[in-house]
Amino acid sequence: MIASASPLIPITSVLPQPLPSVLALTKIEISLGGGRYQNCLKEIRSRACDVEDTEKGIKIEKKDWQKLHLHIASFNNFPTAAGLASSAAGFACLVFSLAKLMNLKENQSQLSAIARQGSGSACRSLFGGFVKWILGKEGNGSDSLAVQLVDEEHWNDLVIIIAVVSSRQKETSSTTGMRESVETSLLLQHRAKEVVPKRIVQMEEAIQNHDFSSFAQLTCADSNQFHAVCLDTSPPIFYMNDTSHRIISYVERWNRSVGSPQVAYTFDAGPNAVLIARNRKIATELLQRLLFFFPPNSETDLNSYVLGDKSILRDAGIDGMKDIEALPLPPEINNISAQKYSGDVNYFICTRPGGGPVLLSDDSKALLNPKSGLPKEA
Amino acid sequence: MIASASPLIPITSVLPQPLPSVLALTKIEISLGGGRYQNCLKEIRSRACDVEDTEKGIKIEKKDWQKLHLHIASFNNFPTAAGLASSAAGFACLVFSLAKLMNLKENQSQLSAIARQGSGSACRSLFGGFVKWILGKEGNGSDSLAVQLVDEEHWNDLVIIIAVVSSRQKETSSTTGMRESVETSLLLQHRAKEVVPKRIVQMEEAIQNHDFSSFAQLTCADSNQFHAVCLDTSPPIFYMNDTSHRIISYVERWNRSVGSPQVAYTFDAGPNAVLIARNRKIATELLQRLLFFFPPNSETDLNSYVLGDKSILRDAGIDGMKDIEALPLPPEINNISAQKYSGDVNYFICTRPGGGPVLLSDDSKALLNPKSGLPKEA
């Protein structure tokens, strides 16, 4: 899912989808006492409605929701706190699930405004396809919400490959970083006032027209400008590292050698590269290039090095380490800069723009026991 | 020597001084046919005057300079093309030497305008101490020149330590990078119009008042903003690498732990850190910290790892590898982030703000044979 948004994040972000399950399993009990959770819970409770399920013999009146307690189980298949917006998926899933449970009448955009109070980016995860985050004008943020531009079928050529460069906890949380940028960056105001509003309009056009060249140019330039503002913050924030820089340089060189963009890159609040290929053929060539420069460590299994849609790996003709070793030098690269960086990427995720959150009707997929309400034993 | 200048470079740069010798030795013959050299040579020739040295029996008339040929020998003790403004020192030395030889009547600022045509930063290397580069208003750059703010005695507490992070040829030459920033960065205009003019005024005040806190705050913020504009360029320019980022993080953490800036950092068009300590005591503590995090490789001799003013090394109580190994963890660092990066710094240079170019009267120091005019045999 791709979204366009505020000056404090790159115009294009790929956000993990909430898993297609209202409730899922975790082994760690965490507190929901924090302000971000409590804001969401308060907003949802205040909008709860009567619920009646005659089949199951359940009847809950609106006023009773204030007194009821819930077991919430959650499972995340994305690296946490690595700058891949894992919390966005979590909050979107939480808000969506509770809204279904408590029979809220609000539409997805109205729910997105609630999710935004848990994690800014979460408002965009309430939809699939391409999503726009509208900042709104109210001081309290009540009109800051997401709308879907087009669904995931509109531009279904695109293929996404994420290079997870480091799963270590990042040093600056994105929330702290944003606050410090607002307080200290002299370039942020200019970006917010002059640059982003124009780019948002251009980006919507590019998406409507399947104009990959404009889409890629805007995506890359805006990712770089977001990180420029991070650098202009005091103390400066470095989300990208040498591996991120290398990936950008390879993509830029490839795009220039072809004469038009084949791959777009964008980096959120972390070193991981989100690479968007214009189609499946280019994605296959991209994966070959990535594996040429960043082969797995000798102790890493290929199966756990390329995750997600493994069919791209098969299209690339790669079945094992010997295929990676046999990959040719990309033609746009001269021999001098053909150094390989084994171990600098933890793993790759192959995926595509996907759908939004889904309510499952199949109890067997639930992670809470429908009788006891407690987490199922793993 | 420290200088403040254009939006295309950090407000504070430490430039290498031309060696105190008009002529020096190199083993490689290079062409002066390039436009940068020819511009300088043309400007100087057109201003040449009569020269008469009755003692040596030399008499050259103004018009004869057009016909005469010269042997020029040059020696540079700084790493070349590593973003340490080595070409600035070279051009300043060339212009200064030829001006002396051809008896030009122009003052140092007027000569700086000529040197600027060879290498922008070169205009600042015509003076010692603190120098300001005035951009000028003329389209042809004829009024873009340097003036000395104060000489090297004005603020003689300052000590400079340069961490040479990489001596490899940089990928983007600073001249190409500047042109691409002007053409593509949307943040550069804002920096040039709104940010730099105010900072120049504040910087002059800080220097006049020996106000190290303001000096350091401006120096660091402006270095970071310069690199932010590089990142906002298409394709993005990365001069700093992970080692540069680490050095910034250590300095920022130390400054914050003390509560006021002890050390300023600035990075030119390369990964090398130029660190300015508020006084000698702080410089000693800085060198200890740098050697703690970036100890030399086992095969590197300490004597070739800390260059320049080695008395700071002695003050730091470091006489050999065992002293480096015994350095304590800096109190502002917690154990988790105390990783050491042996080999990530090539060497350190300890120095201070210095004087400008000097004409040597001692023939024995010349690198051309005064009789034959040819380079001396090494």
Side-chain angles (χ1 to χ4, degrees), chain A residues 294-322:
Chain A
F294 304 101
N297 273 332
S298 51
E299 63 265 29
T300 306
D301 176 37
L302 183 59
N303 205 40
S304 60
Y305 195 61
V306 179
L307 306 177
D309 178 1
K310 288 182 203 278
S311 69
I312 296 171
L313 200 57
R314 285 196 298 275
D315 282 7
I318 293 166
D319 199 41
M321 269 309 288
K322 66 171 200 323

Side-chain angles (χ1 to χ4, degrees), chain B residues 125-137:
Chain B
S125 287
L126 261 306
F127 297 96
F130 289 79
V131 180
K132 177 180 171 182
W133 180 7
I134 298 167
L135 281 185
K137 292 187 173 72

